Amino acid sequence: AVAARSSPDAVSLTQEPVLVCTEAQLLREGRWSGQVHGRDVVVFHHLGGCYSMDRICHHAGGPLQDGDIEDIAGHACIVCPWHKIKITLATGESLYRAIDPATIKQRPPKTRWTSKGVKQRTHTAEVRDGNIYVTLSNDEQKVDSDYYYSEEYKKLVSAS
Ligand code: FES
């Protein structure tokens, strides 16, 4: 049988878990940011859970580690400090207020929180023996935040 080959666009990240900080440090500071296998990652502690995602905001490169966490329609979200995009901690989905078409003629029309889909790559953060380990995502499907690790972006940065 021929081995399945992934597409040239597929994302492949090292799967070895990395110890990033102690649980006590994460509880104290609420968040950790740094590199995991060369990837900029942030870990949040929120309401007893640990969440990890790419640190650089998919929208325009904002520092998610400096954002506030808010509850948006029942989803814990990090709010990017640059343009206030709301990203769910659990799934990396970007939420926005969509106008309800049934109310388009009302002033103002009604809106509801809607997902634009997964825009920020999430990773796995877990507690083991008092330490926090991050395992990078094994999802090959590209998401917008992957742009900051692309050849295209590296060329742009080295040319500026
Ligand atoms: Fe994050 Fe624009 S860079 S919202």
Side-chain angles (χ1 to χ4, degrees):
V2 178
R5 298 246 324 256
S6 34
S7 89
D9 274 356
V11 177
S12 171
L13 303 178
T14 307
Q15 294 295 292
E16 188 73 23
V18 171
L19 193 166
V20 296
C21 64
T22 64
E23 185 182 16
Q25 182 187 348
L26 189 64
L27 287 176
R28 194 170 58 240
E29 295 169 11
R31 51 197 66 191
W32 173 90
S33 63
Q35 289 213 327
V36 173
H37 298 302
R39 187 105 179 170
D40 294 295
V41 162
V42 60
V43 177
F44 297 105
H45 182 264
H46 182 66
L47 298 179
C50 292
Y51 304 89
S52 180
M53 61 175 61
D54 282 346
R55 186 187 65 76
I56 302 173
C57 178
H58 65 275
H59 176 233
L64 293 183
Q65 77 277 14
D66 295 336
D68 292 327
I69 294 174
E70 285 180 18
D71 184 290
I72 306 286
H75 302 280
C77 292
I78 183 73
V79 181
C80 179
W82 280 9
H83 312 103
K84 309 297 179 200
I85 275 182
K86 290 131 182 64
I87 302 166
T88 62
L89 294 183
T91 60
E93 285 170 81
S94 173
L95 303 185
Y96 74 108
R97 275 191 179 280
I99 289 177
D100 178 348
T103 67
I104 198 92
K105 294 210 167 108
Q106 292 178 20
R107 290 286 171 266
K110 283 203 174 111
T111 59
R112 58 170 176 246
W113 286 104
T114 308
S115 173
K116 284 185 195 166
V118 174
K119 301 290 179 185
Q120 196 75 18
R121 183 175 287 276
T122 54
H123 308 289
T124 304
E126 50 197 349
V127 186
R128 281 193 229 155
D129 300 329
N131 292 311
I132 306 294
Y133 286 81
V134 170
T135 307
L136 295 180
S137 159
N138 64 0
D139 186 351
E140 290 192 348
Q141 186 79 34
K142 263 196 178 177
V143 300
D144 286 6
S145 64
D146 292 326
Y147 170 70
Y148 293 96
Y149 303 91
S150 65
E151 288 307 314
E152 191 188 350
Y153 180 70
K154 282 179 202 155
K155 270 189 214 148
L156 194 76
V157 170
S158 64
S160 62

